[in-house]
Amino acid sequence: MKSNWKILMPGVVLIAGTLFSGCVYYNTFYNARKQYQEAERKREEAENVSATGHKSRQMVFQYRDFYMRAIRKASIVLDRHPDSKWVDDSLLLIGKAFYWRGSYRDALLKFQELQDNFPESLLLTEALYWKGLSLWAAGRAEEARPILANVSESADPDFTGKARLALAELEAEAGDYAAAINAYQKLLETRPRGLATKIWAGIGNARFNLEQYEDALLAYRRVLKSKPKNRINFETRLRIGGILELQGKHEEVLATYNRILKVKSLKSYEPEVHLKRANLYQLMGNREIADEIYNEVIERNPKTEHSAEAYYRLAMVAQTSLRDMEKAKELFASARKENPGSDAGRAARDREKDLGKLERYQKSAAKGKKKGLKALFNVAEMYLFNFSETDSALATYRKAYEIADSLDSELAPKALYAIGLIYADSLKNREAAEKTFRKLIDAYPVNPFAVSARQRLANALEDDGRAEARFREAESLMAGGVHPSGYLDILGQLSLEYPKSPFAARALYTIAWTFANRLENPDSARVYYQKLVDGYPLTEFAELASKSLKGDFLKAIAQSDTDAETAGRNDSSTGADRRNDQGRRDSESRRGN
């Protein structure tokens, strides 16, 4: 027996050594994978909770550290056991860890190494998927597309859906929202596992960017039905509130925010929700309730970015509505001290500086006409660029022009040009802008500001010609009985490409009128009427839109029907105009029958 044991002993040692070596390989990779899984858990936790300021940065540093630990552990497999069966697993794990750390170049090197050295690996499809994501994240979207497209046609069910989702998101990022929606909807037809939340969120975002608000709301509500994680749940509810606010449905917005407060899993987001509620009350003109909520946020969340924002909002009201500069400075200082590193804290600090500058300029401007003229320009520029107070800027520039003109100062044409720009760009008052620019050209024909004014007028005339051509194209389609989808895109593009043309307001009015009267979609009509009132308040179309927005919406539209169509055209109606009127009447007559 002893002799037989001695004979068998070398083989047993060899087998044991092999098993031990395999265990070493696996244990090393196992420890790397364990660190990676912990990093994933902490990253998802960071993405899913309402962590702000220092806490948020701390959570990010924490999961990035665990990814780095995983990289170090997996690198041991590559360095010490290059012939083990865990090498391709280690390469994939290292590449993914680098991706989540934002080191896309290093990630791409590892995915490429796996692709080159293990072309038959069962992990190749997954590696290609992550390679596509890394290229996209590195700003190389066009290189990512064919790789993701290849994965989307693979036989691996775990990654075909993910790759198709990424391709849809690429379309959305490129601004081709129609293509993105098409890609999302095709993906839905395949019933992919675990992707419903992201697909519906993508559709909702694309619809929102196309200003298809009702469809966006439907998509966002499907997101909520998909039982999303807390962060997505919260953000989706905020998006729903944002759309309802755009539509002027303030009571529904409040109801949306109040529902968030009733969801126990979203309790950590309460301060953000209360700030949203206060902002909405402020918008509705109920300052008393808004102030009460802001002060409650400050009391319950001291030294946080939420309390800093509440102080900042109160300060903005004091500055812009109450015109109480001392109170505003006091509140801005409180916001800065409350949480200096927050967005509100930094914005408050900048406001404090700007208010200090404004006071100094105002004191200099009060010293006398000649001495204070340049300071008066500084005051006007601060109102315009720092505080976005267009009316105050316009009044100050007018005062500066009067003084400069009386002194025969070289600053007079500068003031006129600034006045013209405010009328043209901020107030969208084309008539007043042209009048100001022509006054500048007549009074100071060779001045550089007059040259710029001539260019502005020339460009405006060119844009008007192009805009009118597009408007007439849409008008012809309307007269020809084409379905509204055939001309609404043209009108929408017109208002985006030529926002300073008088035809932009006409286009918006026609879109709104079409939604209300032909598509029977008062919600979308209301959105465009409001956009018209907000963007072109001094036009005749804004006046008509305001009437439609008041009282019984559909009745108001019906009553202003004829006026609206007449206002949407030049006084010299074309044959297309008359055909359009007749076509509408015939259509309405057929519907009545």
Side-chain angles (χ1 to χ4, degrees):
M1 289 292 294
K2 288 183 180 179
S3 60
N4 289 339
W5 175 251
K6 287 180 180 178
I7 293 171
L8 292 171
M9 196 65 186
V12 172
V13 171
L14 178 62
I15 293 170
T18 303
L19 290 173
F20 177 75
S21 175
C23 285
V24 170
Y25 304 156
Y26 177 71
N27 285 340
T28 305
F29 176 73
Y30 173 81
N31 289 331
R33 188 168 62 185
K34 190 175 179 181
Q35 296 293 323
Y36 182 84
Q37 290 169 344
E38 183 64 13
E40 291 281 271
R41 188 183 69 79
K42 290 186 177 297
R43 177 178 59 79
E44 290 176 5
E45 181 183 318
E47 291 173 350
N48 198 39
V49 301
S50 178
T52 57
H54 176 69
K55 183 181 178 183
S56 179
R57 290 192 295 273
Q58 193 176 38
M59 294 180 78
V60 172
F61 289 145
Q62 195 175 47
Y63 76 67
R64 283 171 58 87
D65 181 55
F66 274 96
Y67 280 126
M68 197 67 238
R69 293 184 196 179
I71 290 168
R72 293 193 187 104
K73 293 283 185 183
S75 296
I76 294 174
V77 176
L78 303 182
D79 293 340
R80 300 182 186 177
H81 314 292
D83 298 323
S84 81
K85 67 176 183 178
W86 304 105
V87 172
D88 55 343
D89 296 81
S90 298
L91 286 169
L92 180 63
L93 185 146
I94 292 170
K96 287 158 65 176
F98 273 131
Y99 173 87
W100 288 118
R101 283 180 56 85
S103 302
Y104 306 120
R105 182 175 176 276
D106 292 325
L108 285 166
L109 288 173
K110 292 304 174 186
F111 297 137
Q112 189 63 47
E113 193 175 336
L114 191 157
Q115 186 179 353
D116 292 342
N117 296 322
F118 301 92
E120 303 300 322
S121 173
L122 296 176
L123 303 174
L124 185 59
T125 300
E126 184 176 358
L128 287 172
Y129 168 73
W130 285 98
K131 180 181 179 181
L133 292 189
S134 298
L135 286 166
W136 180 13
R140 298 159 63 182
E142 291 310 309
E143 295 176 62
R145 283 178 187 275
I147 293 172
L148 291 169
N150 184 33
V151 175
S152 74
E153 299 300 325
S154 71
D156 190 332
D158 290 333
F159 291 97
T160 52
K162 291 180 180 178
R164 289 172 186 173
L165 176 64
L167 288 168
E169 290 171 341
L170 272 168
E171 297 290 3
E173 184 180 79
D176 193 344
Y177 301 115
I181 291 168
N182 185 50
Y184 284 126
Q185 290 175 334
K186 284 185 177 178
L187 180 54
L188 271 178
E189 293 170 5
T190 67
R191 299 181 180 277
R193 291 178 298 174
L195 299 180
T197 296
K198 290 186 176 180
I199 293 171
W200 283 114
I203 291 173
N205 294 339
R207 294 288 189 191
F208 178 82
N209 282 295
L210 290 172
E211 298 182 351
Q212 298 170 356
Y213 297 128
E214 290 303 315
D215 290 332
L217 285 173
L218 289 174
Y220 287 143
R221 286 172 181 139
R222 291 297 297 266
V223 172
L224 297 181
K225 288 182 180 179
S226 72
K227 298 180 180 179
K229 292 183 177 179
N230 288 345
R231 188 75 209 176
I232 296 175
N233 188 337
F234 174 67
E235 289 175 350
T236 301
R237 291 174 187 272
L238 287 190
R239 289 191 181 103
I240 290 172
I243 291 175
L244 293 172
E245 186 175 320
L246 277 174
Q247 295 177 330
K249 300 176 181 178
H250 294 153
E251 294 303 324
E252 291 186 44
V253 180
L254 280 176
T256 300
Y257 294 155
N258 290 335
R259 279 194 292 271
I260 297 176
L261 296 173
K262 294 177 182 178
V263 181
K264 291 182 179 179
S265 61
L266 301 181
K267 189 172 180 61
S268 62
Y269 299 101
E270 279 189 5
E272 293 176 61
V273 178
H274 285 307
L275 285 169
K276 290 284 185 182
R277 290 176 63 239
N279 295 344
L280 184 63
Y281 277 117
Q282 188 69 47
L283 178 66
M284 294 166 66
N286 198 330
R287 202 178 74 238
E288 186 176 340
I289 294 180
D291 288 359
E292 183 180 329
I293 297 173
Y294 286 135
N295 285 310
E296 190 174 310
V297 170
I298 291 167
E299 183 180 343
R300 292 187 178 184
N301 307 274
K303 302 300 178 183
T304 65
E305 71 170 16
H306 304 304
S307 56
E309 183 176 345
Y311 271 125
Y312 181 80
R313 294 288 181 178
L314 288 168
M316 289 296 292
V317 171
Q319 181 190 342
T320 59
S321 298
L322 305 179
R323 312 302 296 177
D324 187 342
M325 296 305 150
E326 290 305 314
K327 184 65 175 177
K329 286 193 292 183
E330 178 188 325
L331 290 167
F332 282 130
S334 295
R336 171 177 51 79
K337 294 172 184 175
E338 195 72 7
N339 195 311
S342 65
D343 290 342
R346 289 191 291 269
R349 181 189 61 223
D350 293 340
R351 281 271 166 169
E352 282 186 281
K353 291 179 180 177
D354 287 343
L355 285 174
K357 282 184 183 178
L358 182 64
E359 284 187 348
R360 291 194 294 273
Y361 289 142
Q362 286 174 330
K363 287 178 181 177
S364 297
K367 290 180 179 178
K369 287 186 177 181
K370 193 170 184 179
K371 290 183 178 179
L373 186 56
K374 288 185 178 180
L376 201 57
F377 273 88
N378 290 330
V379 171
E381 288 170 4
M382 290 207 70
Y383 276 134
L384 185 61
F385 300 115
N386 297 62
F387 300 131
S388 300
E389 294 184 22
T390 307
D391 291 339
S392 297
L394 185 60
T396 307
Y397 275 124
R398 282 174 175 161
K399 183 178 179 181
Y401 170 69
E402 290 173 4
I403 295 172
D405 187 50
S406 67
L407 297 172
D408 199 22
S409 168
E410 61 183 11
L411 293 175
K414 179 180 179 179
L416 276 177
Y417 187 66
I419 293 168
L421 290 181
I422 290 175
Y423 276 128
D425 299 339
S426 299
L427 298 178
K428 302 292 189 298
N429 188 333
R430 181 65 170 275
E431 184 180 349
E434 289 186 1
K435 185 177 179 181
T436 305
F437 286 142
R438 293 191 186 284
K439 181 178 180 180
L440 168 59
I441 294 167
D442 292 342
Y444 308 94
V446 296
N447 187 277
F449 288 108
V451 174
S452 298
R454 283 193 187 90
Q455 187 61 46
R456 292 279 301 204
L457 289 174
N459 291 341
L461 290 172
E462 288 180 12
D463 284 350
D464 284 354
R466 296 189 187 100
E468 182 176 6
R470 297 291 281 163
F471 186 83
R472 297 306 177 198
E473 178 186 355
E475 194 176 48
S476 296
L477 292 172
M478 288 175 66
V482 172
H483 188 272
S485 61
Y487 59 81
L488 285 179
D489 286 344
I490 295 173
L491 294 170
Q493 198 65 28
L494 185 161
S495 65
L496 290 173
E497 291 181 3
Y498 308 106
K500 297 170 186 175
S501 166
F503 287 92
R506 296 182 182 198
L508 288 175
Y509 193 90
T510 307
I511 293 171
W513 183 91
T514 300
F515 273 121
N517 293 274
R518 294 197 170 175
L519 297 178
E520 297 181 356
N521 186 342
D523 290 328
S524 293
R526 187 177 286 106
V527 170
Y528 280 96
Y529 278 132
Q530 191 62 53
K531 185 179 290 189
L532 175 55
V533 170
D534 294 341
Y536 304 90
L538 301 179
T539 64
E540 59 184 317
F541 307 102
E543 183 178 349
L544 288 166
S546 295
K547 290 179 181 178
S548 294
L549 287 169
K550 293 175 182 176
D552 188 322
F553 185 68
L554 290 175
K555 285 183 180 178
I557 292 173
Q559 291 168 0
S560 62
D561 197 2
T562 305
D563 292 341
E565 292 232 331
T566 304
R569 300 187 295 269
N570 286 336
D571 292 336
S572 56
S573 297
T574 64
D577 296 335
R578 291 187 290 275
R579 287 194 302 273
N580 184 29
D581 290 342
Q582 185 61 50
R584 178 176 58 78
R585 287 193 290 271
D586 292 343
S587 176
E588 290 173 350
S589 176
R590 284 193 295 272
R591 283 203 302 271
N593 295 330

